[in-house]
Amino acid sequence: MKPATPAYVRYERPPVVEPLEALLLDSGERLEGEIKYYDYGVVSVVFQLPFSGDWDNLVHLASRWVWDIDFASRAEPLVKARLNQCTDAMIRPYSRWLSEDYFIFHVSEASGNPPAADVIRDHGFEIAQVVRGDRLRLSAGECNEVLHSQISYYANDVTVIGWNAAFLYDSRAGAETAIQLLEYANSQLLEFRHYDELLTEILDRAYALLEQKTGVFARWRLAKSARNLHTTLLDVAELTEHADNAIKFLSDMFAARLYRLAAAKVGVPDYKELVSRKVKTAEDLYNYMVDQFNQSRAFFLEITVVLILLIELYYLFRGKPM
């Protein structure tokens, strides 16, 4: 058995975990839940449902859950009710929330306990359907594309990761690390999606301000905008650092590789690159706005000096000391 999660992965600041009331679906399924509060502003809700059946049942369940049930709309009222009880712990909460759904289908036992290679060989098409949430059998090419994103540690475990779902064939203890890292990768995706939207709004406002009149006195307004822009950049840098450093891989390169694969599949590097480019653009705008303000201030000082000299010359030629 792979060692338990704490031996491989630890949080810089572990999330606060609480049990959550069970979610009852219209089909009668009862999902047990828990809620996690991360210090970088993300709330994670985990619903679990024990399952027993054959591969066809699992494919049908995956398709129904992925496409037919809106878990985000069901989880949001529960989260809001909890957050209303801890408003003192929140700093500048947002009225509009972003959300991400992710499904993990964990098979801990299979008939005959076959090795992972046999499971992939004999049931690769069903696994691809589960990861895609598709009821129809996928093409061989699409199946290979899905199964390309797999990772194993022992001969009797495998994790297949997709952009919105993952399939785990592992023991309960062995799957703990993968589940934790998939959850963390999705929390990071939410963080960078938020930064992307925030920076887009800030850059739009900055561009609109720069498109206005650019007279000497109009440039004085840039000082406040530049200061607000710089404050936002500092906030983004601080929160990004919190998100990036929230989890540590102590001694296991497998956990690090699993996280990189999970992050790549859900889109964390893509959004992180977008945020980095927009931060660079915002920094360039900040420097430009500061330069414009400095030019206006220098011009004002020059005008002031000229006026003082003119006043002195006026009194000098009139023969009256100032």
Side-chain angles (χ1 to χ4, degrees), residues 117-126:
D118 292 351
V119 173
I120 294 294
R121 183 195 63 206
D122 298 336
H123 301 285
F125 282 97
E126 289 89 345

Side-chain angles (χ1 to χ4, degrees), residues 71-119:
F71 283 99
S73 64
R74 295 171 182 264
E76 186 169 327
L78 302 177
V79 175
K80 286 186 175 180
R82 289 300 181 95
L83 292 183
N84 287 336
Q85 300 173 7
C86 55
T87 54
D88 292 341
M90 295 186 292
I91 301 174
R92 290 178 296 178
Y94 292 94
S95 57
R96 189 177 70 86
W97 295 355
L98 299 176
S99 65
E100 284 287 338
D101 287 346
Y102 200 82
F103 300 88
I104 300 174
F105 299 96
H106 173 212
V107 175
S108 59
E109 297 179 10
S111 178
N113 294 321
D118 292 351
V119 173

Side-chain angles (χ1 to χ4, degrees), residues 250-270:
L250 297 183
S251 60
D252 179 55
M253 290 300 100
F254 174 76
R257 288 191 293 115
L258 194 154
Y259 164 71
R260 286 195 295 269
L261 177 60
K265 293 304 294 184
V266 301
V268 172
D270 297 332

Side-chain angles (χ1 to χ4, degrees), residues 51-268:
F51 169 81
S52 178
D54 59 19
W55 285 96
D56 290 337
N57 296 141
L58 181 58
V59 169
H60 178 76
L61 175 68
S63 177
R64 183 166 62 87
W65 276 28
V66 170
W67 300 113
D68 297 341
I69 302 177
D70 186 1
F71 283 99
S73 64
R74 295 171 182 264
E76 186 169 327
L78 302 177
V79 175
K80 286 186 175 180
R82 289 300 181 95
L83 292 183
N84 287 336
Q85 300 173 7
C86 55
T87 54
D88 292 341
M90 295 186 292
I91 301 174
R92 290 178 296 178
Y94 292 94
S95 57
R96 189 177 70 86
W97 295 355
L98 299 176
S99 65
E100 284 287 338
D101 287 346
Y102 200 82
F103 300 88
I104 300 174
F105 299 96
H106 173 212
V107 175
S108 59
E109 297 179 10
S111 178
N113 294 321
D118 292 351
V119 173
I120 294 294
R121 183 195 63 206
D122 298 336
H123 301 285
F125 282 97
E126 289 89 345
I127 293 172
Q129 286 178 267
V130 168
V131 173
R132 285 286 190 263
D134 208 312
R135 290 186 175 91
L136 301 178
R137 189 179 179 91
L138 303 177
S139 68
E142 187 64 20
C143 180
N144 290 333
E145 176 66 23
V146 174
L147 297 179
H148 180 72
S149 301
Q150 63 175 283
I151 185 170
S152 297
Y153 190 81
Y154 289 125
N156 59 349
D157 71 67
V158 65
T159 300
V160 182
I161 302 175
W163 67 272
N164 70 331
F167 172 85
L168 276 64
Y169 177 67
D170 204 345
S171 64
R172 296 182 185 275
E176 188 178 346
T177 297
I179 293 173
Q180 186 178 22
L181 293 178
L182 286 166
E183 184 179 4
Y184 173 63
N186 278 276
S187 75
Q188 277 201 315
L189 176 61
L190 273 178
E191 279 289 286
F192 288 113
R193 279 184 56 197
H194 167 69
Y195 301 148
D196 178 61
E197 291 192 2
L198 177 64
L199 289 170
T200 298
E201 295 176 1
I202 292 172
L203 290 175
D204 287 343
R205 291 198 299 267
Y207 288 137
L209 181 62
L210 293 175
E211 288 175 357
Q212 296 176 4
K213 294 182 179 180
T214 57
V216 174
F217 295 103
R219 295 177 183 176
W220 284 83
R221 294 196 300 269
L222 295 178
K224 181 179 180 181
S225 299
R227 185 167 57 252
N228 293 337
L229 177 60
H230 190 251
T231 300
T232 302
L233 288 176
L234 292 177
D235 289 342
V236 169
E238 181 182 5
L239 292 173
T240 302
E241 183 180 3
H242 281 180
D244 283 341
N245 297 328
I247 203 166
K248 303 293 183 183
F249 304 101
L250 297 183
S251 60
D252 179 55
M253 290 300 100
F254 174 76
R257 288 191 293 115
L258 194 154
Y259 164 71
R260 286 195 295 269
L261 177 60
K265 293 304 294 184
V266 301
V268 172

Side-chain angles (χ1 to χ4, degrees), residues 308-320:
I308 292 173
L309 289 175
L310 289 176
I311 293 173
E312 289 182 345
L313 290 173
Y314 171 77
Y315 282 101
L316 177 66
F317 283 109
R318 287 191 60 183
K320 296 182 180 179

